[in-house]
Structures are given as C-alpha cells and as structure tokens.
Amino acid sequence: MTSQRTRARMIDRLREQGIKNEAVLRAMAAVPRHVFIEEALASRAYEDTALPLGLGQTISQPYVVARMIELLLNGRPGLGKTLEIGAGCGYQAAVLAQLTNEVYAVERLAPLLDKAKANMRTLQQFNVRLKHADGLLGLPEAAPFDSIIVAAAGSQIPPALLAQLREGGRLVLPVGAAEQYLRLIERTPQGFVETRLDAVRFVPLLPGVQ
C-alpha cells in the first residue's frame, strides 16, 4: 500500500479531480505520505481522505493540499519564501519544500511539532524551519512572505498574516465556522484582492500554544 504504484494512483486521481499544475503534481508524488501517518493507518495513506493525527488534529486530504498549493503557485515561477500555519505532522510542509528552498512552518501543539521534526529528519528535508508558536501571530521575524498557507479555519483572516504578506504575494486559507470556504488573498500595489473558492472542512484555528 506504500508502493510507487499506489502513489501514482493518487496522482492520477488528483488529475481527474482537476489539479492541472504539473509542478504541484510532481511535488505530491515526491512526498511519501505514509511516513507521516501512524502505522495502523498506513494502508490508507494514499486515499483521498483526511486522517487523524491525535490531539484532535488531522492530516489534510491530498486533494485539498494540492488544491491550496496550486492556488499559491499558478502563474508564478515559484512559491518564494513560504509560511505554513498549522504544520501538524509536517506533510504539507514537505510538499511545499519541493517547490521552494525556504519554508517556515508554525505549529501550536508541541507533541505534533516533535512529530513533524522527526518526519523531516526521516526524509532528510532540511529546507523546512519548524517553530512552536501561535499561528494567529504569523512569524514576524521571518516576514515578509511570498506565500502563506493556513491549515486550520478561523472566523476571519488573521490581520498579522495580511501584514506579513509581501506585495505580489498570495495567502490561501479556509475561513468560517459551520460553513468554511477557501479564500485566496493577493496583495497588489492597490491593496488586497480576495477571492472566495471551494467549500472545505478544517479543524479550528486556535490561539496560543500548548
């Protein structure tokens, strides 16, 4: 279930679901999702579903990861300096790291951050900087960012993330409570341009660290 053939089927399914950016598909193919999942669930690693990580958190379904990264990348030569809010086990950060040399990933739950660090060591993925921090505050010491991706849903767009987005940069995140939608925010010389996209389901974006 962790073979190249199984991974290839996941990529074929992403294409069927509408993911067109070949760089994103190559990045998804390059990262062994089973490494990030508990052994008991490894046989389901390449299904298009979110899976539990413990602590009330999940690893996002492959389609949603690919869709959000495609939104960040499309029409641009690369992701540039990238910030991920909600690193979880590190899976999405590892995919992002296939598309840029500079990924900063923030996680508020220390046990998950430890898992992410261990997974990065396993994969020898050394261009991801992981930090235990409150994602609502972004990462001001590394700002500004060309790309920001958020893996949890808040009721509004965190002002700190808008402030840390470089002109020409993009932010993609889920927004909402009972009903959540992906939002794409682009920072132009004239200000922020916001587009509402697909309905999604994410864990809540919470303040503080644990």
Side-chain angles (χ1 to χ4, degrees), residues 182-193:
L182 283 184
R183 306 284 180 96
L184 173 66
I185 316 295
E186 299 173 272
R187 187 167 198 167
T188 72
Q190 292 74 41
F192 295 101
V193 177

Side-chain angles (χ1 to χ4, degrees), residues 74-119:
N74 273 352
R76 297 200 294 174
L79 292 175
K81 188 196 286 188
T82 300
L83 173 64
E84 180 194 27
I85 304 299
C89 60
Y91 172 66
Q92 184 168 258
V95 177
L96 292 165
Q98 310 304 309
L99 296 162
T100 177
N101 293 325
E102 220 174 344
V103 179
Y104 295 82
V106 168
E107 174 54 55
R108 64 182 292 272
L109 299 173
L112 279 187
L113 190 75
D114 290 341
K115 273 188 191 178
K117 287 178 177 174
N119 290 334

Side-chain angles (χ1 to χ4, degrees), residues 1-14 17 25-38 41-51 59-63 91 95 123:
M1 286 306 293
T2 57
S3 68
Q4 277 299 132
R5 191 183 305 164
T6 313
R7 220 183 295 183
R9 280 203 297 271
M10 179 184 80
I11 301 307
D12 290 343
R13 194 168 56 240
L14 290 173
Q17 289 171 296
L25 290 165
R26 282 195 299 273
M28 295 291 292
V31 177
R33 192 170 184 249
H34 63 274
V35 168
F36 296 86
I37 288 167
E38 298 297 334
L41 294 169
S43 64
R44 301 184 61 196
Y46 298 99
E47 293 178 11
D48 192 40
T49 186
L51 293 169
I59 180 172
S60 294
Q61 71 183 93
Y63 171 75
Y91 172 66
V95 177
L123 295 184

